[in-house]
Amino acid sequence: MRGTEVGRCPGSRGLLDADGETGVKKPELEPTCTVYNINPGKNRKLLSECPVLGQYMLFVGHMREYLGKDSEKDLGKAIDKAIERCIREDVLREFLMRRRWHG
């Protein structure tokens, strides 16, 4: 079973060697993290306490909106339109103006 993928959880895998043993040692530390849903209507308290995170949620929402309207599903165009809209609406304006591509 050489090269067979073995997964303990999504996003984490090892490979079985010829003897059926995983080639990955057990880690000495296993980091954990907390994941928060920041989609509209979720974790309102967190978003009210962190305005930048709330603005990021708006940017992602605009991007999804434009991606849904684009018949070709062009992610690059959707991102560009969302950036322009956010700059006009003063959402992440400083950040986006400093980092946008001028190609």
Side-chain angles (χ1 to χ4, degrees), residues 29-67:
L29 295 174
E30 291 199 34
T32 61
C33 68
T34 303
V35 177
Y36 294 95
N37 183 347
I38 62 164
N39 285 303
K42 306 292 183 183
N43 285 300
R44 290 185 177 131
K45 184 175 187 287
L46 174 65
L47 294 172
S48 70
E49 292 174 359
C50 184
V52 173
L53 194 56
Q55 289 183 30
Y56 174 74
M57 181 201 65
L58 291 173
F59 168 74
V60 171
H62 295 329
M63 187 183 63
R64 287 178 178 162
E65 175 187 341
Y66 290 124
L67 189 58

Side-chain angles (χ1 to χ4, degrees), residues 5-15 24 27 30-31:
E5 293 184 20
V6 176
R8 291 189 299 155
C9 62
S12 172
R13 18 178 146 159
L15 295 177
V24 179
E30 291 199 34

